[in-house]
Amino acid sequence: MAGPNEKKAPVSALMLAALALPGLDAAAQSLPETSTLGIGMLHYQDEQPELRRVKVNSPSVYLSMPLAGAWLVEGGAVLDHLSGATPRYHTAVSGASRMDEKRKAGDVRVTRYFGHATLGLGAAVSNENDYRSRAYSASASLSSEDRNTVGSLGFGVSNDTISPVNQRVVGERRHTTEFMVGIEQVLGKRDVVKADYTHTRGRGYYSDPYKQVDNRPRERDTDALLLRWNHALDHAAALRLHYRYFRDSFGIRAHAVGGEYERPLAGGWMVTPSLRLYSQSAADFYFDPVYDPLFGEPYPPGYNFASPKPSTADQRMAAFGAATFGLKLAREIGGGWTAYIKAEQYRQMSSWRWTGSGSPGLARFDARSWQVGAVRTW
């Protein structure tokens, strides 16, 4: 089985990734004049040498409607079908645990527009056989008179319940609070820059019950800084660049840089190639693949079963680098509909870490995904 930290993604983020089209602006200060309906299908498959790992199929739907000249109501739903296998520790193929399960998730958000300001409230729910999550959020924004400067604030809380089928734990809880502050600045007719800072405070169960030797601290604080620059080019083309810095109390430090180039083509097509590069350090309690003289793999030397210290053999807590290549095609097909298809290829290797040598002994990790769908506005 995949653990609760391996297969979870924020509901809104998942749906926006599946349904977003070039030109949609979630931070707009004016109430949209049109309604939007989006339907999509996401397929994901990851693998390592000699092991096809997790496969996910996710149909989703999204609806956004302006009401009464001042309100925007948004909602979405997604159904994930996950199957496959994940290593119990590091990237060892032997003993990989199997899974086949479904997740149902949905969210709703209501935003009130006040000319130069907005207030929003949202709620999200996610259910599956071993994991349940409830989340609530509030946000506000304020723009200058000329609308060239926009400040935003956000606050969210989530409560998760973890009850794995192997019954290693039953009814474990995790509570998370998140605070975000951001500012967006128009620099001219062609350029917009934005900076967002997010702080997250989590308390509760963070271990992966399906991994061997996985005992993580019950407190996790994170900080993330996201910088974005959007630049309009000639012929309706656009360049979007971003940089993200992340750190947490587990000891992980991560950097990500990326960009996408959006360009219209003949026949009403829009093409968007993208590239993202990523690097992270290992968690303080991550241990490399080793063999204990007494217990054998995967226990680190001197592991104390009676009083285990924080430790993990989860490759996602290791030091590594990664690259993601993507290509998206979209086309207006009439009747207010725009269809799109997007493919991405991800590769993760220890040797690709930007500084240092990365964690040794890990197998290469690859993932492929494609999304297909359509969006209608009216």
Side-chain angles (χ1 to χ4, degrees):
M1 301 286 290
N5 297 316
E6 182 160 354
K7 60 191 177 181
K8 314 304 171 197
V11 178
S12 298
L14 197 160
M15 285 188 238
L16 288 175
L19 299 174
L21 283 174
L24 291 182
D25 181 5
Q29 288 298 294
S30 299
L31 178 69
E33 298 180 355
T34 59
S35 298
T36 300
L37 171 66
I39 54 175
M41 179 68 183
L42 168 69
H43 173 79
Y44 169 91
Q45 174 73 64
D46 58 37
E47 61 185 30
Q48 64 186 76
E50 302 180 16
L51 177 64
R52 290 179 66 85
R53 294 173 40 131
V54 177
K55 179 174 69 174
V56 183
N57 289 310
S58 299
S60 57
V61 60
Y62 167 81
L63 178 64
S64 171
M65 297 182 64
L67 298 175
W71 297 86
L72 181 66
V73 179
E74 302 170 273
V78 62
L79 175 63
D80 294 337
H81 180 204
L82 302 94
S83 61
T86 60
R88 294 184 183 275
Y89 62 92
H90 296 111
T91 53
V93 174
S94 61
S97 57
R98 307 293 303 183
M99 69 171 176
D100 191 341
E101 58 188 83
K102 293 181 179 180
R103 177 176 71 150
K104 298 177 181 179
D107 69 346
V108 63
R109 181 173 182 81
V110 178
T111 304
R112 175 69 161 88
Y113 286 76
F114 299 93
H116 292 277
T118 67
L119 291 175
L121 295 174
V125 59
S126 177
N127 287 317
E128 53 196 289
N129 65 331
D130 60 353
Y131 192 91
R132 185 183 68 182
S133 179
R134 303 290 185 270
Y136 308 92
S137 64
S139 63
S141 67
L142 179 65
S143 66
S144 61
E145 287 294 327
D146 60 6
R147 299 184 184 272
N148 286 337
T149 304
V150 180
S152 57
L153 295 173
F155 178 77
V157 297
S158 65
N159 293 286
D160 306 331
T161 303
I162 303 101
S163 297
V165 296
N166 60 12
Q167 297 187 335
R168 180 174 292 182
V169 296
V170 178
E172 271 285 6
R173 301 296 183 92
R174 183 166 67 229
H175 177 76
T176 306
T177 59
E178 183 175 275
F179 173 78
M180 184 277 291
V181 59
I183 186 168
E184 181 176 331
Q185 179 66 51
V186 177
L187 299 180
K189 295 182 178 180
R190 292 179 177 267
D191 297 285
V192 178
V193 294
K194 187 173 184 180
D196 294 322
Y197 165 74
T198 304
H199 175 75
T200 302
R201 181 181 185 271
R203 299 294 183 266
Y205 187 74
Y206 279 95
S207 302
D208 190 328
Y210 300 112
K211 300 290 187 185
Q212 295 288 353
V213 195
D214 201 282
N215 179 34
R216 308 182 194 186
R218 296 185 65 87
E219 299 183 358
R220 189 182 192 187
D221 297 326
T222 71
D223 295 281
L225 176 65
L226 176 61
L227 305 176
R228 287 179 283 183
W229 172 43
N230 293 351
H231 177 66
L233 301 168
D234 294 332
H235 308 296
L239 178 66
R240 292 187 282 267
L241 304 176
H242 72 264
Y243 165 77
R244 184 175 186 266
Y245 173 73
F246 171 90
R247 69 177 185 181
D248 68 3
S249 56
F250 284 3
I252 295 176
R253 303 292 183 267
H255 303 268
V257 295
E260 59 182 29
Y261 173 64
E262 179 184 278
R263 183 175 181 84
L265 302 177
W269 290 92
M270 182 75 73
V271 61
T272 309
S274 61
L275 171 65
R276 182 176 184 266
L277 304 177
Y278 177 84
S279 177
Q280 77 170 43
S281 62
D284 295 335
F285 47 89
Y286 172 81
F287 66 92
D288 294 315
V290 292
Y291 291 78
D292 185 276
L294 179 61
F295 299 107
E297 59 182 353
Y299 305 101
Y303 187 79
N304 188 340
F305 286 89
S307 181
K309 295 181 179 180
S311 57
T312 183
D314 190 332
Q315 67 159 70
R316 293 161 300 158
M317 298 283 110
F320 61 84
T324 304
F325 301 90
L327 182 65
K328 183 174 184 178
L329 290 172
R331 186 178 187 274
E332 295 184 8
I333 56 177
W337 285 96
T338 298
Y340 68 90
I341 184 170
K342 181 178 181 180
E344 288 189 330
Q345 176 69 46
Y346 171 88
R347 173 160 293 185
Q348 173 183 312
M349 297 181 65
S350 296
S351 60
W352 285 4
R353 187 187 173 196
W354 297 353
T355 60
S357 58
S359 299
L362 298 179
R364 189 189 76 219
F365 177 83
D366 293 290
R368 295 181 300 275
S369 69
W370 57 260
Q371 301 169 26
V372 62
V375 174
R376 181 176 184 262
T377 58
W378 70 96

